[in-house]
């Protein structure tokens, strides 16, 4: 058992006693999440419940629907002390550098953004209707793949197909992802690309009804994509007998320096102490552990750093 896991189990037995005297007043947090139809909005609700349960009601969090992660980052300029939000680390960097969608919107408050903890990553998955011990990208030649035009998954999949020299060898079927199961059954497609936290419900459902497998990537291919490497463990989906290496876009919960160190420490500590319960509620939390800490580019909140050092999480110099 990893050292941090042992420490979390030990600390969980005294967490309520530790939290109670440290907090003179109840803490109310606000959290900018995602559209209410998104899985990430549901995750926000689960985090809120976990913080409340783990603090014996001392911590409460109001989860607000948001337009997107760009909007979440923009809200950070308002400087609310107990405000949290989710976003991709790359967007925070773009805001701090005043680039892309943040061009002309420079604000010194972006420099005050600090990370608290990672949540399930947006993971790329190429799902193919065939059984194979190892299914690699070169085996996609001659296949028909559904891409839901306009989505992140479609853009990434098209990029990878070109990047790995398969352009012209793979037939793209532009259709809504909701049609994937029917088209697989009818033989209209051989597979589809989807992005989401794993296990992704749509993939789990299809895997229960038909034989599918996921495409795995080499480390060299992952490096070429310039995305974060992630492993979907064997057994995640029915019939998946091997670990699948793929790419992901990390998602992190942030706050700003306006949050005091004590609150950031307690929120981070309570979140991790409730991880066992979170995993019982939803499978996507199984992918959240200390290995995701390396995907947090940028600085962590000092209160969170205190907790991570206590339990031995890997903290890079540029995260401090």
């Amino acid at each position: 058992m990893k050292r941090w896991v042992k420490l979390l189990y030990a600390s969980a037995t005294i967490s309520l006693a530790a939290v109670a005297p440290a907090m003179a007043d109840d803490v109310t947090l606000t959290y900018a999440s995602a559209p209410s139809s998104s899985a990430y909005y549901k995750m926000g609700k689960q985090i809120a419940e976990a913080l409340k349960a783990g603090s014996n009601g001392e911590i409460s969090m109001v989860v607000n629907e948001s337009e997107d992660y760009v909007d979440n980052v923009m809200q950070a300029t308002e400087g609310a002390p107990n405000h949290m939000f989710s976003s991709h680390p790359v967007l925070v960097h773009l805001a701090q550098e005043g680039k892309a969608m943040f061009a002309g919107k420079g604000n010194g408050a972006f420099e005050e953004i600090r990370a608290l903890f990672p949540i399930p990553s947006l993971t790329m998955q190429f799902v193919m209707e065939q059984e194979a011990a190892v299914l690699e990208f070169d085996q996609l030649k001659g296949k028909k793949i559904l891409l839901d035009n306009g989505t992140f998954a479609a853009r990434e999949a098209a990029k990878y197909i070109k990047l790995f020299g398969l352009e012209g060898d793979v037939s793209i079927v532009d259709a809504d992802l909701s049609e994937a199961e029917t088209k697989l059954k009818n033989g209209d497609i051989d597979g589809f690309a989807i992005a989401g936290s794993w296990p992704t419900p749509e993939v789990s459902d299809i895997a229960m009804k038909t034989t599918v497998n996921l495409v795995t990537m080499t480390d060299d291919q992952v490096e070429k994509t310039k995305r974060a490497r992630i492993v979907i463990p064997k057994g995640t989906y029915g019939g998946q007998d091997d670990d699948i290496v793929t790419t992901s876009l990390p998602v992190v919960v942030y706050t700003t320096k306006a949050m005091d160190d004590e609150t950031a420490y307690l929120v981070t500590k309570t979140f991790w102490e409730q991880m066992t319960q979170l995993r019982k509620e939803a499978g996507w939390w199984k992918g959240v552990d200390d290995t995701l800490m390396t995907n947090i580019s940028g600085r962590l909140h000092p209160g969170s750093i205190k907790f991570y050092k206590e339990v031995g999480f890997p903290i890079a110099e540029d995260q401090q």
Side-chain angles (χ1 to χ4, degrees), residues 42 77-78 97 124 141 156 161 184 190 246 278 310 318:
K42 296 177 183 177
T77 62
E78 298 173 9
E97 296 172 357
M124 274 299 296
K141 290 182 179 179
E156 284 289 289
I161 288 170
L184 277 174
D190 298 299
T246 185
L278 282 168
E310 286 180 354
D318 60 1

Side-chain angles (χ1 to χ4, degrees), residues 74-130:
M74 289 300 301
Q75 288 184 40
T77 62
E78 298 173 9
N82 287 339
H83 180 68
M84 298 158 56
F85 64 94
S86 55
S87 181
H88 302 304
V90 65
L91 291 181
V92 174
H93 283 297
L94 289 174
Q96 291 171 340
E97 296 172 357
K99 295 181 178 179
M101 65 286 291
F102 297 99
K105 301 178 182 178
N107 191 311
F110 290 139
E111 297 297 330
E112 305 291 300
I113 294 174
R114 296 292 182 270
L116 293 172
F117 48 80
I119 58 177
S121 300
L122 189 64
T123 304
M124 274 299 296
Q125 299 163 75
F126 285 80
V127 185
M128 306 299 295
E129 189 182 24
Q130 69 180 82

Side-chain angles (χ1 to χ4, degrees), residues 156-187:
E156 284 289 289
K159 181 176 77 173
Y160 297 177
I161 288 170
K162 182 177 181 179
L163 193 61
F164 304 147
L166 293 172
E167 194 172 28
D169 293 324
V170 174
S171 298
I172 304 301
V173 178
D174 181 9
D176 192 275
L177 192 60
S178 63
E179 300 178 49
E181 183 177 347
T182 300
K183 288 186 177 296
L184 277 174
K185 289 180 179 178
N186 295 339

